[in-house]
């Protein structure tokens, strides 16, 4: 096992800060996407004409199917099959595993008469066209025996219990220190249930060849999908060939397989023809996972100079009764600010609504909305600038574990951002800046998000034309993975981008953990780097051992790669010449990365600072963004353009979180009120007027050999809190209930006599 | 699938005859609302008569000094017309505050007037809705009714009319021309086009089956400032929480009732010398709060008072 010390050794990437890595290279697959020729899962052309599936969803929250009449559907034009729990082919029981090293258990569809949430699929129809399948599905009559259900989170907080296997983290004596603190904040913040709203819905195209099934599906984790389907069908993993080449957004919502995967596979098997099945937009809202609502109590006890002495962040959240999931909304606070007496923990309400699950920066995204607003409230109470308050609580070591930081540039992010944004123009007294009917204000918040490295492999091959092809069972969910892997390969091998091919999203490629938790770039990228380093060694040996090579007999430690050539000082030849002569069948090697044995000796995170300026319409309570700026420190940046796109996308999501994005359960039905994009409001272009972000120069040599870290989730962390704090600074209305829609702001304005 | 037939006539008489001849037929204009509703199986026409080739796309000056707007003029064209922008600024402001650029390019003047409510329960066939399925009940009444009506609703329905354009037309005192199934031409005030829900919320207008709107007539613009003000959750492409159109001393509200709401009590109070805020409240005295929509009462009052003040100073929004 490697050590972080090994990673600090010089290598071709870290030695060269002027190469292709870091440049704002255009997307590798960008042309395919903008020309509509990148085939997403539903659009993949199967080997023969497909049948089209449609799912019928339950219309109660909890209970049992008492009767289900499919006669009319079966007689409907074009229908090929109709399945319910009564006649669906046999699948493994939920949770079973038969294959060795399987990452996911069986997840059967239509598995019984129990209804666990509104929108749960209860029937599957396949027909000659999608329209015929849908029309037939709507003819199915389902009778239910409904049972009492827990549907209202805010009314059910007393049901909250300690999550299984967890306990609160207690350091020092929080209660005692808080009671004696000269300045106290004790507030509860609420963040709502949110949906991912990926542009591409969950979808699968499936067909069989003999006893092997091929599935093109939209999923963030290749192995997870492959293993889940194999277990559900009770077949060996290698009998499932899963492909996911292009993904139209995941955000955590596609970290798992849904019923489209298994029903398309089973349907294709039963019909002996390919099957396509996708969730509708409404089903995406109602029947996939969501970010749960969070109620967060924050208590801060501080000295008059702002130093925190007592610090408590307690989260209450929810999940589906049958699918345990904890939104760890308090975890981030364990590493952020110094305070000797600490209490953090989570409680969970089990409910009868769809499954709660991971959504972009699970934990931080809702959690930071509370503490970063509470810090603003404390700053005002003490008459200290909110940035200064944070600087006074900057820890020297991790405040919970005492471990050293791998690198921590939070203060640099805040100071740089303040300067670039013009924070000194902020009037600390709220409600002082008018622009016509608008009140204008500024707010800020810190950002923190953990950094992770998971085990991964990659394979790389060079052929006789000098083309280098990197293959990895990795996904690109729109983040830029193809592009950064191409940059890493080109830089490491000393070739241009057009000499590199990247092939991803295939269960038969060397495995990578996929996209999630902002671990994708560092994990997949490091494995790709290792594979390329192995290719360098293999090619060096090839050249040195080949009497026809100008490098013959040279010292391998002096071999360099550049301009498409392999060289020792002034002796060189092109990679194509070498390979076509000495290894005409090409050279293929693999590489792997895994966490360093001593990686956990460091507290390792990415950091940032958010700065927002808003206008509040004093007549209507509408809030409109004026400016937003973010400064981030996230290791070495692989691609200036795709990385910035990630963090600004996160910031925009933060704007949506602060102002518009929420779903609400209709407590009579257990369904969500918003089930399309005209009801669930994400920001439009007009909402984002002037938004920008920069990265600080950084390389984290404790992270991996290239010193890179994740950026996919950092941008959303704290962003909504900066907007909320700006609303307060603008108009003096302190809301603690996200999102801050005009009705809530207006009520606050009127309460102030405005 | 649910089959339907389709034709695309080139003259008005043929279009009207085609709809009259086929039970369940509907006119198809921009399709920005009808096609969505067909996909959700909420609208179930048997036959679509596409009116996009009818010669109804002109905007002409009238002898009275107003404008005659063909019903197939797109929302984008209407909003951008120089005469509209200079003389009927309230109409341009209202149109560009609705939908998105793409929708406004497709949506037509006649179609905009006939778009259906955005009540979430209307769009969810798993829920009772008297408008979608008469007699099934109103899910919004006791439900998540933040977007619901505060004026003129009934026990059967608290849905709102979502049009922005129609609110401006109502404040302007516009009228419309329609050709009836027997080929006659009828005229109707835009303010009288839509019905209150009463016991029949599925009946939304006073047009007869088969009537085709052919034009909207704007009277000469009255003196005074014009303002359209719309409050919404996000800056673009969002239905109004409430809107107000002010044309001189004429006032209409949007997104608060089953129809664009001409605020006659407000106008009368203004004429009697009330303050702008008092006048706004005169219309809202009978407003109702169904649980989540009550904020609209104060919102409309504040917007109206502000818009009246701005208009009295001759300003636009």
């Amino acid at each position: 096992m490697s050590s972080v010390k090994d990673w600090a050794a010089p290598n071709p990437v870290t030695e060269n800060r002027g190469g292709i890595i870091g440049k704002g290279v255009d997307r590798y697959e960008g042309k395919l996407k903008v020309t509509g020729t990148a085939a997403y899962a539903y659009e993949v052309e199967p080997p023969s004409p497909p049948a089209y599936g449609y799912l019928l969803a339950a219309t109660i929250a909890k209970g049992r199917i008492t009767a289900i009449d499919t006669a009319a559907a079966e007689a409907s034009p074009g229908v090929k099959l109709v399945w319910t729990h009564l006649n669906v082919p046999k699948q493994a029981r939920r949770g079973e595993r038969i294959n060795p090293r399987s990452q996911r258990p069986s997840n059967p569809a239509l598995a019984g008469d129990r209804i666990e949430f509104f929108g749960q699929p209860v029937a599957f129809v396949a027909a000659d066209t999608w329209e015929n399948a849908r029309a037939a599905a709507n003819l199915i009559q389902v009778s239910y025996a409904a049972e009492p259900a827990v549907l209202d989170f805010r009314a059910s907080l007393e049901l909250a219990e300690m999550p299984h296997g967890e306990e609160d983290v207690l350091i020092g004596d929080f209660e005692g220190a808080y009671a004696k603190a000269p300045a106290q904040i004790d507030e509860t913040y609420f963040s709502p249930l949110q949906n991912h709203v990926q542009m591409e819905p969950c979808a699968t195209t499936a067909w069989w060849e003999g006893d092997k099934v091929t599935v093109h599906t939209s999923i963030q984790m290749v192995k997870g999908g492959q293993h889940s389907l194999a277990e559900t069908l009770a077949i060996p993993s290698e009998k499932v060939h899963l492909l996911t080449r292009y993904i139209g957004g995941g955000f955590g919502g596609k970290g798992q397989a849904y019923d489209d995967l298994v029903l398309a596979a089973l349907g294709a098997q039963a019909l002996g023809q390919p099957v396509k099945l996708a969730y509708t937009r409404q089903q995406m809202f109602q029947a996939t996972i969501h970010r749960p609502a969070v109620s967060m109590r924050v208590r801060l006890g501080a000295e008059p100079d702002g130093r925190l002495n007592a610090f408590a962040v307690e989260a209450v959240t929810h999940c589906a009764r049958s699918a345990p999931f904890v939104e760890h909304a308090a975890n981030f606070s364990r590493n952020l600010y110094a305070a000797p007496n600490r209490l953090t923990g989570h409680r969970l309400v089990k409910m009868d609504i769809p499954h709660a699950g991971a959504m972009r920066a699970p934990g931080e995204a809702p959690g930071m909305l509370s503490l970063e607003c509470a810090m603003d409230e404390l700053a005002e109470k003490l008459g200290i600038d909110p940035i200064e308050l944070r600087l006074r609580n900057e820890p020297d070591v991790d405040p919970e574990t005492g471990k050293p930081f791998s690198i921590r540039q939070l203060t640099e992010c805040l100071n740089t951002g303040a300067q670039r944004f013009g924070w000194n123009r902020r009037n600390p007294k709220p409600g002082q800046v008018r622009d016509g009917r608008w009140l204008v204000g500024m707010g800020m918040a810190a950002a923190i998000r953990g950094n992770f490295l998971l085990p991964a492999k990659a394979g790389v091959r060079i052929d006789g034309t000098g083309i280098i092809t990197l293959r990895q069972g990795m996904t690109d969910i729109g983040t830029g993975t193809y592009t950064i892997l191409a940059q890493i390969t080109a830089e490491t091998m000393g070739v241009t981008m057009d000499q590199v091919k990247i092939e991803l999203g295939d269960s038969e490629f060397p495995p990578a953990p996929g996209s999630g938790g902002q671990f994708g770039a560092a994990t997949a990228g490091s494995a790709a780097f290792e594979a390329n380093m192995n290719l360098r060694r293999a090619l060096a040996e090839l050249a040195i051992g080949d009497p026809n090579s100008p490098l013959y007999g040279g010292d391998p430690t002096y071999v360099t790669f550049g301009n498409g050539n392999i060289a020792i000082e002034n002796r060189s030849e092109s990679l194509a010449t070498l390979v076509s002569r000495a290894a005409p069948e090409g050279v293929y090697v693999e590489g792997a990365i895994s966490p360093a044995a001593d990686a956990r000796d460091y507290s390792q995170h990415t950091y940032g600072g958010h700065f927002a300026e808003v206008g509040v319409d004093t007549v209507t309570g509408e809030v409109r963004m004026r400016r937003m700026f973010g400064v981030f420190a996230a290791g070495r940046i692989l691609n200036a353009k795709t990385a910035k796109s990630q963090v600004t996308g996160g910031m925009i999501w933060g704007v949506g979180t602060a102002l518009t994005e929420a779903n609400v359960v209709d407590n009579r039905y257990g369904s969500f009120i918003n089930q399309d994009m005209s009801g669930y409001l994400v920001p439009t272009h007009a909402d984002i007027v002037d938004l920008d972000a920069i990265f600080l120069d950084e390389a984290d040599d404790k992270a991996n050999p290239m010193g890179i870290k994740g950026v996919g989730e950092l941008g959303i962390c704290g962003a909504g809190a900066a907007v909320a704090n700006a609303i307060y600074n603008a108009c003096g209305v302190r809301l603690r209930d996200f999102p801050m829609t005009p009705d809530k702001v207006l009520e606050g304005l009127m309460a102030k006599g405005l | 699938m649910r089959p339907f037939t389709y034709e695309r006539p080139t003259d008005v008489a043929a279009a009207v005859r085609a709809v009259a001849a086929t039970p369940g037929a509907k006119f198809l204009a921009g399709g920005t609302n009808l096609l969505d509703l067909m996909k959700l199986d909420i609208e179930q026409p048997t036959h679509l008569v596409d009116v996009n080739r009818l010669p109804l796309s002109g905007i002409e000056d009238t002898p009275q000094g107003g404008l005659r707007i063909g019903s197939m003029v797109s929302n984008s064209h209407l909003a951008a017309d120089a005469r509209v922008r200079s003389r009927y600024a309230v109409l341009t402001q209202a149109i560009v505050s609705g939908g998105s650029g793409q929708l406004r390019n497709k949506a037509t003047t006649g179609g905009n007037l006939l778009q259906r409510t955005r009540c979430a329960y209307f769009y969810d066939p798993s829920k009772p809705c008297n408008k979608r399925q008469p007699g099934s009940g109103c899910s919004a009444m006791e439900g998540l009714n933040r977007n619901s009506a505060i004026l003129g609703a009934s026990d059967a329905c608290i849905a709102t009319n979502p049009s922005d354009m129609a609110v401006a037309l109502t404040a302007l005192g516009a009228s419309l021309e329609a050709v009836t199934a027997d080929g006659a031409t009828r005229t109707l005030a835009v303010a009288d086009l839509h019905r209150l829900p009463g016991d029949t919320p599925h009946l939304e207008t006073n047009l007869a089956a088969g009537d085709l709107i052919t034009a909207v007539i704007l009277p000469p613009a009255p003196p005074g400032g014009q303002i359209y003000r719309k409050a919404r959750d996000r800056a673009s492409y969002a239905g109004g929480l409430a809107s107000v159109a002010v044309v001189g001393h004429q006032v209409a509200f949007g997104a608060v009732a089953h129809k664009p709401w001409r605020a006659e009590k407000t106008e009368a109070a203004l004429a009697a010398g009330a303050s702008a805020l008092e006048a706004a409240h005169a219309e809202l005295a009978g407003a109702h709060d169904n649980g989540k929509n009550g904020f609209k009462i104060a919102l409309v009052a504040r917007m109206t008072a502000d818009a009246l003040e701005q208009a009295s100073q001759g300003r636009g929004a």
Side-chain angles (χ1 to χ4, degrees):
Chain A
M1 214 173 194
S2 54
S3 156
V4 295
K5 287 196 192 69
D6 304 330
W7 293 343
N11 66 53
V13 169
T14 52
E15 282 183 324
N16 180 12
R17 297 299 300 252
I20 191 81
I21 287 182
K23 297 271 193 308
V25 176
D26 288 347
R27 277 181 194 266
Y28 176 86
E29 81 291 13
K31 193 171 172 187
L32 293 178
K33 286 182 173 170
V34 298
T35 56
T37 49
Y40 290 79
Y42 199 79
E43 300 156 344
V44 169
E45 186 105 16
S48 59
Y52 295 85
Y54 192 87
L55 293 172
L56 183 70
T59 55
I60 64 165
K62 184 182 185 185
R64 198 167 57 79
I65 300 170
T66 54
I68 190 158
D69 181 355
T70 58
E74 282 161 17
S76 190
V79 169
K80 292 168 182 282
L81 63 79
V82 179
W83 284 344
T84 69
H85 66 286
L86 297 172
N87 66 339
V88 72
K90 186 168 164 40
Q91 303 159 78
R93 277 206 312 275
R94 186 173 307 283
E96 277 193 356
R97 288 177 204 251
I98 56 168
N99 292 316
R101 294 180 301 283
S102 201
Q103 294 176 7
R104 301 281 173 91
S106 169
N107 182 32
L110 310 177
D113 63 354
R114 294 294 311 169
I115 301 302
E116 295 178 347
F117 59 87
F118 184 102
Q120 177 183 322
V122 294
F124 166 66
V125 178
D128 58 344
T129 66
W130 183 81
E131 289 80 6
N132 276 338
R134 180 183 56 169
N138 288 334
L139 295 173
I140 296 171
Q141 299 292 321
V142 189
S143 303
Y144 300 100
E147 297 168 11
V150 177
L151 300 172
D152 187 341
F153 172 59
R154 289 175 111 154
S156 309
L157 296 176
E158 77 281 3
L159 299 177
E161 51 193 57
M162 181 70 84
H164 180 73
E166 295 196 8
E167 53 189 30
D168 291 338
V169 173
L170 292 157
I171 294 170
D173 170 20
F174 167 77
E175 297 290 352
Y178 181 74
K180 284 184 283 191
Q184 296 177 330
I185 294 287
D186 180 357
E187 297 292 351
T188 298
Y189 302 80
F190 183 84
S191 60
L193 187 153
Q194 290 186 327
N195 296 98
H196 302 77
V197 203
Q198 307 97 331
M199 286 217 290
E200 181 204 21
C202 295
T204 301
T205 298
W207 64 84
W208 290 76
E209 286 156 292
D211 62 353
K212 184 169 180 176
V213 65
T214 297
V215 286
H216 287 261
T217 193
S218 185
I219 194 166
Q220 293 171 229
M221 281 80 174
V222 174
K223 283 288 164 195
Q226 180 198 23
H227 292 169
S228 169
L229 181 57
E231 295 293 355
T232 309
L233 301 180
I235 60 176
S237 297
E238 58 270 22
K239 296 296 183 187
V240 172
H241 186 194
L242 184 142
L243 299 105
T244 181
R245 297 246 169 83
Y246 305 107
I247 299 171
F251 314 118
K254 293 175 181 168
Q256 64 189 82
Y258 297 92
D259 288 357
D260 58 299
L261 180 60
V262 64
L263 287 172
L266 284 171
Q269 189 174 40
L271 293 174
Q273 84 177 111
V275 167
K276 288 179 183 285
L277 177 58
Y279 276 50
T280 64
R281 178 57 64 193
Q282 289 76 18
Q283 289 167 348
M284 288 303 293
F285 279 93
Q286 301 285 2
T288 69
I289 62 170
H290 54 258
R291 187 199 300 286
V294 182
S295 177
M296 289 274 270
R297 184 182 184 194
V298 178
R299 282 176 288 171
L300 303 175
E303 300 299 317
D305 66 0
R307 278 182 301 115
L308 291 168
N309 196 28
F311 176 97
V313 179
E314 298 165 280
V316 185
T317 178
H318 60 85
C319 70
R321 198 174 300 285
S322 62
F325 172 85
V326 183
E327 180 81 29
H328 282 116
N331 275 7
F332 80 94
S333 70
R334 294 171 178 168
N335 314 105
L336 190 51
Y337 299 123
N341 302 291
R342 310 172 71 89
L343 162 62
T344 49
H346 303 87
R347 298 293 183 275
L348 196 55
V349 179
K350 291 187 175 153
M351 296 179 62
D352 301 298
I353 61 172
H355 297 183
M359 183 166 139
R360 200 169 195 177
E364 283 85 347
M368 294 198 81
L369 299 173
S370 63
L371 178 59
E372 287 304 288
C373 287
M375 290 291 279
D376 202 65
E377 299 199 42
L378 178 63
E380 191 194 29
K381 193 168 216 173
L382 294 171
I384 299 173
D385 181 86
I387 296 175
E388 178 60 25
L389 177 67
R390 286 161 172 89
L391 299 183
R392 288 182 191 178
N393 287 288
E394 177 69 6
D396 298 325
V397 294
D398 187 286
E400 179 176 302
T401 63
K403 292 175 183 176
F405 296 114
S406 62
I407 182 169
R408 176 171 164 122
Q409 296 203 77
L410 175 60
T411 58
E412 291 81 357
C413 289
L414 298 180
N415 287 331
T416 302
Q419 192 180 8
R420 295 278 296 258
F421 190 73
W423 183 254
N424 60 358
R425 296 201 299 273
R426 172 181 177 266
N427 187 328
K429 192 173 173 202
Q432 301 303 302
V433 182
R434 252 202 189 265
D435 177 6
R437 68 176 194 267
W438 300 89
L439 282 169
V440 181
M442 295 187 200
M444 59 77 57
I448 180 172
R449 171 70 181 162
N451 187 61
F452 309 96
L453 183 73
L454 302 181
K457 293 181 179 171
V460 63
R461 176 187 163 81
I462 183 167
D463 66 20
T465 68
I467 295 292
I468 299 171
T469 303
L470 184 99
R471 287 184 152 185
Q472 197 173 36
M474 177 60 188
T475 54
D476 185 331
I477 59 173
T479 49
T481 312
Y482 278 104
T483 315
I484 57 114
L485 293 176
Q487 288 173 275
I488 290 168
T489 300
E491 172 111 1
T492 313
M493 297 309 300
V495 300
T496 54
M497 291 283 283
D498 58 5
Q499 287 177 271
V500 173
K501 283 188 185 167
I502 306 297
E503 296 179 359
L504 303 179
D506 189 320
S507 62
E508 299 188 347
F509 293 167
S515 304
Q518 78 171 19
F519 55 65
T523 296
S526 296
F529 169 77
E530 295 293 347
N532 283 305
M533 290 301 289
N534 288 341
L535 183 61
R536 286 170 62 113
R537 290 182 197 105
L539 294 176
E541 281 174 26
L542 189 68
I544 286 161
D546 178 5
N548 294 319
S549 170
L551 281 68
Y552 178 66
D555 182 341
T557 55
Y558 292 106
V559 172
T560 58
F561 292 75
N563 302 317
N565 296 325
I566 181 168
I568 297 178
E569 292 174 340
N570 58 355
R571 292 187 285 158
S572 80
E573 63 177 328
S574 77
L575 295 176
T577 306
L578 168 66
V579 174
S580 62
R581 181 188 66 243
E585 71 289 1
V587 177
Y588 175 81
V589 298
E590 294 189 352
I593 191 78
S594 55
D598 49 357
R600 284 166 181 258
D601 293 350
Y602 299 89
S603 177
Q604 188 177 102
H605 303 272
T606 57
Y607 298 94
H610 294 282
F611 299 83
E613 182 177 305
V614 305
V616 176
D617 187 319
T618 50
V619 175
T620 62
E622 291 167 288
V623 178
R624 296 289 179 257
M625 297 302 298
R626 297 199 159 201
R627 291 192 294 145
M628 194 161 183
F629 188 67
V631 181
F632 301 98
R636 187 163 174 201
I637 297 306
L638 291 167
N639 183 313
K641 185 151 56 172
T642 59
K644 182 172 162 179
S645 178
Q646 285 297 298
V647 294
T648 54
M651 291 164 68
I652 290 166
W653 207 324
V655 172
T657 294
L659 300 182
T660 57
E661 287 186 50
N663 221 330
V664 182
V665 178
D666 188 322
N667 296 324
R668 299 165 299 171
Y669 308 105
S671 59
F672 298 126
I673 186 74
N674 297 318
Q675 54 174 353
D676 59 38
M677 287 150 104
S678 68
Y680 188 93
L681 301 184
V682 301
T684 66
H685 287 289
D687 293 291
I688 306 299
V689 181
D690 174 359
L691 184 143
D692 201 4
I694 59 166
F695 289 99
L696 297 184
D697 188 40
E698 183 174 300
D700 188 338
D701 64 4
K702 309 294 192 299
N704 48 57
M706 290 183 289
I708 62 176
K709 294 198 281 198
V711 295
E713 297 183 330
L714 177 61
I716 189 175
C717 301
V723 177
N725 293 335
I727 293 172
Y728 177 75
N729 181 244
C731 67
V733 174
R734 180 70 77 179
L735 296 173
R736 301 181 185 89
D737 182 13
F738 289 85
M740 297 173 180
T741 46
D743 46 335
K744 297 175 192 171
V745 178
L746 180 60
E747 188 182 359
L749 291 173
M750 289 169 67
K752 294 183 74 70
L754 287 170
Chain B
M1 65 177 285
R2 193 178 292 281
F4 62 90
T5 50
Y6 170 88
E7 69 179 293
R8 189 165 58 191
T10 53
D11 66 83
V12 169
V16 171
R17 272 199 311 275
V19 166
T22 314
K26 275 194 169 285
F27 295 111
L28 172 67
T32 59
N33 192 211
L34 179 60
L35 297 187
D36 282 355
L37 290 164
M38 287 173 68
K39 289 173 188 170
L40 293 167
D41 209 23
I42 294 165
E43 291 275 12
Q44 300 164 352
T46 58
H47 184 61
L48 288 181
V49 177
D50 185 335
V51 293
N52 282 283
R53 296 274 170 96
L54 303 187
L56 300 172
S57 299
I59 303 175
E60 297 153 19
D61 292 298
T62 66
Q64 294 76 23
L67 289 176
R68 185 177 193 283
I69 302 156
S71 61
M72 291 305 296
V73 173
S74 76
N75 288 177
S76 294
H77 272 113
L78 181 56
D81 185 274
R83 294 160 291 181
V84 174
R85 288 169 61 188
S86 64
R87 282 144 59 187
Y88 304 98
V90 67
L91 182 56
T92 292
Q93 291 167 18
I95 291 171
V96 299
S97 76
S100 64
Q102 293 94 328
L103 288 169
R104 295 193 294 269
N105 288 342
K106 284 298 289 177
T108 64
T109 306
N112 186 314
L113 288 171
L114 298 179
Q115 64 180 304
R116 307 200 65 185
T117 184
R118 298 295 190 271
C119 178
Y121 296 104
F122 177 68
Y123 284 77
D124 182 355
S126 75
K127 307 292 190 297
C129 171
N130 286 324
K131 184 182 284 295
R132 180 166 26 78
Q133 197 179 353
S136 62
C138 173
S139 297
M141 197 71 68
E142 310 275 319
L144 298 168
N145 50 34
R146 178 171 177 263
N147 294 323
S148 297
I150 54 171
L151 291 170
S154 69
D155 292 341
C157 182
I158 54 173
T160 60
N161 181 298
S163 174
D164 291 294
M165 183 192 82
V167 181
L169 292 178
T170 298
L172 285 164
S175 58
L176 62 86
E177 281 179 13
V179 174
T180 65
D182 58 11
T185 297
R186 61 182 290 204
T187 304
L188 195 64
V190 170
D192 295 331
L193 172 64
H194 298 93
R195 300 159 59 107
L196 290 178
D199 295 332
T200 54
H202 59 292
L203 302 177
E204 294 178 346
T205 74
N206 289 313
L207 294 178
D211 286 1
L212 175 67
I213 297 174
T214 50
V216 167
I217 317 292
L218 297 182
Q226 297 184 14
I227 284 185
Y228 189 74
R229 178 74 55 79
K230 175 180 180 178
R232 46 185 156 173
D233 284 327
R234 67 180 173 190
S236 171
Y237 193 25
L241 298 167
S243 67
V244 176
V246 172
V247 177
H249 300 292
Q250 297 163 203
V251 182
F253 301 157
V256 294
H258 202 250
K259 60 184 291 185
W261 191 271
R262 182 73 181 255
E264 290 169 349
K265 291 178 186 141
T266 296
E267 294 173 10
L270 284 173
S275 75
L277 192 60
E278 287 165 355
H281 278 295
E283 192 70 50
L284 294 162
H288 47 88
D289 178 353
N290 299 89
K292 312 265 186 208
N293 56 348
F295 77 96
K296 288 187 177 185
I297 300 170
L299 178 61
V300 173
R302 292 164 70 97
M303 290 170 71
T304 304
D306 186 64
L308 284 168
E309 197 143 312
Q310 299 289 318
S312 72
Q313 295 163 22
R315 289 193 203 140

